[in-house]
Amino acid sequence: MKKEKKTPETVEEETVETAEQKLQKELDEKNEQFLRLCAEYDNFRKRSQKEKQDIYTSSRAEIVKDLLPVLDNFDRAAENKECSFEDYKKGIDLIFTQLGEILKKLGIEAYGARGDEFDPNIHNAVMTVEDPELGENQVASVFSKGYKLGDRIIREAVVQVANS
């Protein structure tokens, strides 16, 4: 067999082919890396969504777990038909205190009282009244207390505002 002698043109063609193959190989590797990165991100997104849903569900369950003793006490109060009005009232007051302690433990704070300065960001004024005892834009009476969790308003206080 006779070896074919390489000419400068054939050497250049082989060099171009190997450079092209090398570039194609690098492109395929980068493509594979990109696809893996996309798959990892999609898995991360799905896992984060599931964790968020699990946290939401478990926090709701914890709140309900804290409220169940209050419900049990209301059931007991409703079933106790033979007690006096004073005992019944005392039991309801204890249940109310228990519920307040649970809300405090959860970081929920009630607001809205007669004499407070009216703030349209946290109060919902449904009426006005002339009250010489109160100044301009002060809460005259509270129909429903407001509740907040930190700085977040859960429910605005429904109030009557004084206009002196």
Side-chain angles (χ1 to χ4, degrees):
M1 269 191 162
K2 193 175 181 188
K3 270 192 171 179
E4 200 174 300
K5 202 172 193 186
K6 294 185 180 181
T7 63
E9 292 83 23
T10 57
V11 170
E12 189 177 314
E13 286 176 15
E14 287 177 4
T15 307
V16 168
E17 284 181 19
T18 55
E20 187 178 305
Q21 290 171 345
K22 184 179 176 184
L23 287 174
Q24 184 62 46
K25 184 178 178 183
E26 286 179 27
L27 177 63
D28 291 344
E29 287 174 5
K30 294 297 180 189
N31 231 0
E32 174 129 354
Q33 285 178 346
F34 176 72
L35 290 174
R36 287 180 190 267
L37 184 63
C38 286
E40 285 178 24
Y41 174 74
D42 192 47
N43 289 339
F44 169 77
R45 185 183 54 79
K46 288 176 184 175
R47 188 174 53 252
S48 296
Q49 241 177 348
K50 184 181 181 326
E51 287 173 0
K52 182 180 174 182
Q53 184 62 39
D54 290 348
I55 290 169
Y56 177 72
T57 301
S58 66
S59 63
R60 283 179 40 195
E62 284 297 314
I63 291 170
V64 170
K65 182 180 170 188
D66 288 344
L67 292 174
L68 288 177
V70 175
L71 185 61
D72 293 339
N73 287 336
F74 273 121
D75 283 340
R76 282 192 276 285
E79 290 173 4
N80 192 359
K81 307 270 189 235
E82 291 85 37
C83 71
S84 68
F85 176 75
E86 291 303 317
D87 289 341
Y88 184 77
K89 184 180 178 318
K90 183 179 177 183
I92 295 298
D93 288 342
L94 289 172
I95 294 170
F96 184 74
T97 301
Q98 181 185 26
L99 183 58
E101 288 171 3
I102 290 170
L103 292 177
K104 185 177 180 180
K105 179 182 136 192
L106 294 171
I108 297 172
E109 180 183 337
Y111 69 90
R114 178 177 166 84
D116 287 353
E117 186 69 27
F118 173 73
D119 181 352
N121 296 314
I122 62 172
H123 296 105
N124 181 14
V126 293
M127 296 174 69
T128 59
V129 66
E130 293 294 325
D131 191 332
E133 294 176 16
L134 296 172
E136 183 80 19
N137 284 329
Q138 283 189 311
V139 174
S141 60
V142 178
F143 301 117
S144 296
K145 285 183 182 179
Y147 292 91
K148 61 183 177 177
L149 178 59
D151 291 339
R152 183 178 180 177
I153 302 299
I154 297 172
R155 182 179 83 181
E156 296 176 330
V158 179
V159 297
Q160 181 182 46
V161 180
N163 289 329
S164 295

